[in-house]
Amino acid sequence: MKYLFLFPAACVLILVGSPRGSAAEQNGDNPSETKAITVTAKSLSFDPKKLEVHVGDTVVWTNQARTKHTATSDDEGKTFDTNEIAPGKSSKSVKFEREGEFRYHCKVHGKTMSGTIVVKARAK
Ligand SMILES: [Cu+2]
């Protein structure tokens, strides 16, 4: 009688142990951990004014104001420049590849409309 009870358990073991084929093969490209973060341009300010991201993250500026704005790095746009973003539109995405503190402003409204992107090293 004992063997009757062991039989179902043996079946389960066989199923679990069966070959899985190629599904378990390692996939070369890992899913990216980088993020896309949005900064909102308001009438004369950026929200958040200071944004912390990590190396490899991308930032998009969305203009919720009624006038055009830009997000232009303070080194005359050498690091990044979204160019004019029309009201209701979003900028192209800007990828931050190196650590640092990047101050930027709006070319239309000058430095009264400014912000900072703080790029930190990616946690390992
Ligand atoms: Cu502006």
Side-chain angles (χ1 to χ4, degrees), residues 43-44 67-70 106 108-109 113:
S43 59
L44 275 176
T67 54
K68 287 178 192 169
H69 293 298
T70 78
C106 169
V108 181
H109 298 103
M113 183 171 182

Side-chain angles (χ1 to χ4, degrees), residues 1-52:
M1 281 303 267
K2 247 185 186 175
Y3 294 109
L4 280 175
F5 290 104
L6 286 171
F7 183 69
C11 280
V12 169
L13 282 175
I14 288 161
L15 285 171
V16 169
S18 66
R20 289 188 188 183
S22 59
E25 270 175 29
Q26 280 238 324
N27 194 338
D29 32 342
N30 292 318
S32 174
E33 291 173 21
T34 57
K35 287 184 287 183
I37 300 131
T38 302
V39 173
T40 303
K42 298 185 172 173
S43 59
L44 275 176
S45 62
F46 293 106
D47 183 26
K49 186 173 171 67
K50 191 170 188 174
L51 175 71
E52 196 177 297

Side-chain angles (χ1 to χ4, degrees), residues 43-46 49 69-77 102-116:
S43 59
L44 275 176
S45 62
F46 293 106
K49 186 173 171 67
H69 293 298
T70 78
T72 306
S73 59
D74 283 2
D75 55 2
E76 294 173 333
F102 302 98
R103 293 173 178 278
Y104 65 95
H105 62 279
C106 169
K107 279 195 286 195
V108 181
H109 298 103
K111 301 239 167 141
T112 49
M113 183 171 182
S114 61
T116 308

